[in-house]
Amino acid sequence: MDAFDLIVIGAGPGGYIAAERAGAMGKKVLIIEKEQLGGVCTNWGCIPTKSLLNSAKQYVHAQEADKFGVHIEKARFELSEAMEWKNEVVQTLRDGIQFLMKKNSVTVEFGEAEVTDAHHVKVNDTVYAGDCIMIAAGSSPAVPPIPGAEQKHVLTSKEILSIDAVPKKLAVIGGGVIGMEFASFFSSVGSEVHVVEMLDEILPLTDKEFAKLMRREMKQVKFHLGCRVEKIDEKQVHFTNKKGKAESIEADTVLMSVGRRPNVQGFENIGLDIDGGRIVVDERMRTNIPSIYAVGDVNGTSLLAHSASRMGEVAVANMFGDGDTMRYHAVPWAVYTQPEAAGCGLTEQDAEKEGRKVLTASMQMRANGRFLAEHGKRAGGLCKVVVDAETKVLLGVHLLGAVSSEMIYGAAAMIEAELRVKDIKEIIFPHPSVSEIIRDTIWELKE
């Protein structure tokens, strides 16, 4: 029987990063994947959606280029070519992950993994022994029991990445990150898009002010908030609005985007603590079984690719290194819509719920020279900072506008380091850069 220091189940951003780190430490590692290296993120999530969104942004830029003195005649969007670009990007990254596994002497096995006990995993009729086992099985799209949800024109975020034509009328059920990104993409390339959201606002992670501004900026999308979907038929989505009145919208394609569920199936019978459909872990990614760790979506604590990668590193550090803990207060997030949104730390509403006294300040993105030069004074955007009123420590930064996703890491570093207002004011930002908006907003605080 082959024996390994670590057996990783799932080759998504949590699993393959953990395997890479452990392999680099000289550990004997086996990684098992039932579909494709890279998991959902590389194949049916983060990467393909961003590839398509970039195509849509290029199309929109071509249509609007004349205001910058660039004239493009008859710009058109070809979905098939955008899909080819998406597929090329995905395959290149898959190959890159394969190279990383080989470089770090990680054994790769494709197949369905079965954990038989605390130290053994079976795949393709072969049983492997491992000093440690890491479950990084990810999550799957949630499909609520809505009558008609089983129809062929009702797709999840996975199937919609392979469609061969732009829908004429698309209904997106769910106004979270995934739903909003697809709404942004398809509305940019010609679909009539409706978003039906059960809550009173989209993007629950964001500051309420930002969610409202996002809806205002996405002028081509029609939003139906506080609405409960009752059924889906061949041509319409039927829902009840917040006043209890029945309404419907026409749709030839429906995207079911109401969240994701951890993939805990197959792990219930080995004594793991599974609560609320997720594998319970501590801050060191340990389960209740000492040799088994669980990282990424499967533990339900932070369903983000970069959170999964960090969890994988934390787990490996506790297996073979000096130990580490997962800290969630400075995990950044981003929404790659047009315009982008990103944030890190507490919103003003979060702080109020915790009973904190805070100071806040906001600044329009168009007050920034670089942003104005590249997007114009009509482009919407906002930066907001949240600071502890007593200690003056930065608690949260929230951004709406182009390149927000590229700037938020700086805010994450500031929050992780517990920088004070005084500290941030002393940091020199490059000029002109959109990132200066964070420092300028800090200077707007009324202390």
Side-chain angles (χ1 to χ4, degrees), residues 70-106:
V70 179
H71 298 272
I72 301 172
E73 300 298 328
K74 297 182 179 179
R76 73 181 192 277
F77 177 83
E78 293 289 347
L79 181 62
S80 61
E81 294 174 10
M83 288 293 187
E84 288 178 11
W85 169 253
K86 178 259 295 184
N87 293 338
E88 180 183 342
V89 170
V90 168
Q91 187 59 55
T92 299
L93 288 175
R94 276 185 202 154
D95 294 343
I97 295 168
Q98 180 72 58
F99 170 77
L100 287 173
M101 297 302 97
K102 183 177 181 180
K103 176 184 176 183
N104 291 284
S105 302
V106 175

Side-chain angles (χ1 to χ4, degrees), residues 163-181:
I163 61 174
D164 55 13
V166 175
K168 291 182 179 179
K169 295 183 178 182
L170 172 69
V172 178
I173 301 176
V177 172
I178 297 172
M180 292 305 299
E181 289 186 350

Side-chain angles (χ1 to χ4, degrees), residues 245-305:
K245 182 180 177 181
E247 294 187 35
S248 65
I249 52 176
E250 291 186 5
D252 54 84
T253 304
V254 178
L255 171 62
M256 191 67 70
S257 181
V258 294
R260 299 184 66 85
R261 291 179 178 150
N263 293 330
V264 298
Q265 303 84 359
F267 304 112
E268 304 97 333
N269 301 322
I270 55 173
L272 282 175
D273 184 4
I274 298 177
D275 182 53
R278 65 185 186 89
I279 299 175
V280 178
V281 297
D282 63 12
E283 73 280 2
R284 297 180 183 275
M285 301 297 106
R286 300 175 297 195
T287 69
N288 60 307
I289 300 176
S291 60
I292 299 180
Y293 294 69
V295 307
D297 289 8
V298 77
N299 68 36
T301 55
S302 179
L303 277 68
L304 297 167

Side-chain angles (χ1 to χ4, degrees), residues 49 52-53 55-56 77 79 82-83 166 180-190 218:
T49 56
L52 292 177
L53 281 163
S55 294
F77 177 83
L79 181 62
M83 288 293 187
V166 175
M180 292 305 299
E181 289 186 350
F182 279 110
S184 179
F185 171 71
F186 283 108
S187 65
S188 296
V189 300
M218 294 180 67

